[in-house]
Amino acid sequence: MNTKLIIVEGLPGSGKSTTASTIYEILQNYPIKSELFLEGNLDHPADYDGVACFSHSEWGLLENNFVNKKILHSNVEYNTGLFLLPYRKLMNQDNDLFTNMDFSFIFKHDIYELPFEQYAALAVKKWADFAETAWQNDKIYIFECSFLQNPLTIGMIKWAEVQDRLIKHIALLEEIIYKLNPVLLYVSQEDVKSSFLKAYNERPVDWSTGFIDYYTKQGFGKKHQLHGIDGTIQVLQARKKLELEIYESLSIQKLILNNSSYNLQSSDIVKMLTSIHII
């Protein structure tokens, strides 16, 4: 199979990061060029992590109140009438670059904080640019969670967007990447409650608290009056249900990897990659 894109999806704690990394490690043993982009990669070619978006007037406010304008000008991207600033990358270079006031203003314009319609338009443009670049390259890109998780987290979890709108957005992304002959691998846990509790107990308290707040105090969770750990699990169950509905509607090559026992081995993934003719 002559694919240029492998997408690994699944709920938090399902094992998608490990699966994506294992696929990349396996491909290193073959004469196949590949590149891995895990969740949170600030250089992701089809996603906007740590990037803020400003209109002309909003950019003017930031620019007028920021001392080192040279840094802003040398790092901003002007895209279809909008100013895109990779502020997280800048903060990694200099954690004291922005004052608390600067950061508060910038974070309000984070692309993940925008209304879904604005986010979706930017995402479509980003995916389209990536698809053109990938089409010209002779390598396989491996993405974790950017195709289903990110749009549904923003659209469903944050904004409680109607399902039809989310389904249409994913369908448009599928259309954009179709020529790359992509493969979608959905890493599944049969028991959502157990898999979340496992992640909850293994990860730092800050992650757990932030995750529960995000899932229950806005959008879908707030609309359905869900609270705490139990409410978060209910949101995750609803999210998985929608993801699988979307999965079934897609026409690209796709496989569900059952990782309920957390026993997916490298040899299993080799067999899977062989079965779909990637190696």
Side-chain angles (χ1 to χ4, degrees), residues 7-273:
I7 302 167
V8 183
E9 294 282 351
L11 295 184
S14 62
K16 61 184 183 298
S17 299
T18 301
T19 301
S21 298
T22 302
I23 290 170
Y24 176 72
E25 292 167 4
I26 290 169
L27 293 184
Q28 301 312 294
N29 298 317
Y30 295 83
I32 299 173
K33 294 180 182 178
S34 60
E35 194 166 2
L36 171 66
F37 292 92
L38 296 176
E39 181 178 5
N41 190 315
L42 299 182
D43 293 312
H44 200 296
D47 195 23
Y48 286 114
D49 202 326
V51 179
C53 174
F54 306 92
S55 66
H56 276 274
S57 59
E58 292 162 346
W59 179 255
L61 287 174
L62 177 63
E63 189 178 34
N64 289 338
N65 291 286
F66 196 73
V67 175
N68 196 335
K69 293 178 175 56
K70 183 178 179 181
I71 288 180
L72 292 183
H73 296 161
S74 60
N75 288 279
V76 70
E77 174 191 348
Y78 187 70
N79 190 320
T80 60
L82 298 170
F83 295 85
L84 305 182
L85 184 69
Y87 68 95
R88 288 288 183 189
K89 290 180 72 172
L90 293 176
M91 290 176 67
N92 284 347
Q93 297 167 16
D94 182 357
N95 196 44
D96 297 320
L97 180 62
F98 302 118
T99 65
N100 289 339
M101 187 176 296
D102 290 334
F103 180 76
S104 178
F105 179 77
I106 290 170
F107 184 74
K108 288 179 182 177
H109 295 274
D110 188 295
I111 289 175
Y112 288 168
E113 297 297 310
L114 298 178
F116 184 73
E117 288 293 334
Q118 286 182 267
Y119 159 79
L122 287 163
V124 165
K125 177 67 165 57
K126 186 77 166 177
W127 276 94
D129 289 344
F130 159 71
E132 288 305 312
T133 299
W135 181 250
Q136 305 295 328
N137 290 338
D138 61 343
K139 63 182 173 183
I140 296 176
Y141 292 83
I142 305 162
F143 288 174
E144 179 208 3
C145 82
S146 54
F147 181 68
L148 293 179
Q149 175 176 286
N150 291 358
L152 296 191
T153 298
I154 297 166
M156 175 187 175
I157 310 303
K158 184 172 182 60
W159 294 113
E161 184 70 48
V162 295
Q163 288 192 7
D164 285 351
R165 178 68 187 90
L166 300 174
I167 292 169
K168 288 178 181 178
H169 175 68
I170 301 297
L172 181 53
L173 297 186
E174 179 188 29
E175 182 180 334
I176 289 170
I177 63 173
Y178 199 83
K179 68 180 181 180
L180 303 180
N181 205 11
V183 178
L184 171 62
L185 304 175
Y186 192 88
V187 185
S188 178
Q189 296 284 337
E190 292 178 359
D191 189 335
V192 172
K193 180 177 180 178
S194 294
S195 62
F196 175 70
L197 290 177
K198 182 175 184 295
Y200 177 86
N201 290 322
E202 291 177 350
R203 298 187 184 185
V205 173
D206 287 349
W207 179 89
S208 303
T209 302
F211 192 94
I212 290 172
D213 285 350
Y214 193 95
Y215 267 61
T216 59
K217 293 185 177 181
Q218 56 185 346
F220 188 93
K222 191 173 182 180
K223 178 180 178 179
H224 294 277
Q225 300 181 350
L226 302 174
H227 307 282
I229 294 176
D230 289 340
T232 301
I233 292 167
Q234 291 180 64
V235 180
L236 284 167
Q237 290 168 335
R239 179 186 140 188
K240 182 179 180 181
K241 180 175 182 293
L242 178 56
E243 286 183 348
L244 291 178
E245 287 177 10
I246 294 174
Y247 174 93
E248 291 299 331
S249 73
L250 297 172
S251 58
I252 59 176
Q253 172 96 358
K254 59 199 177 186
L255 288 171
I256 291 179
L257 304 179
N258 191 324
N259 193 33
S260 296
S261 300
Y262 295 97
N263 62 353
L264 269 180
Q265 303 295 319
S266 178
S267 57
D268 298 322
I269 296 177
V270 167
K271 290 177 183 178
M272 179 271 297
L273 294 174

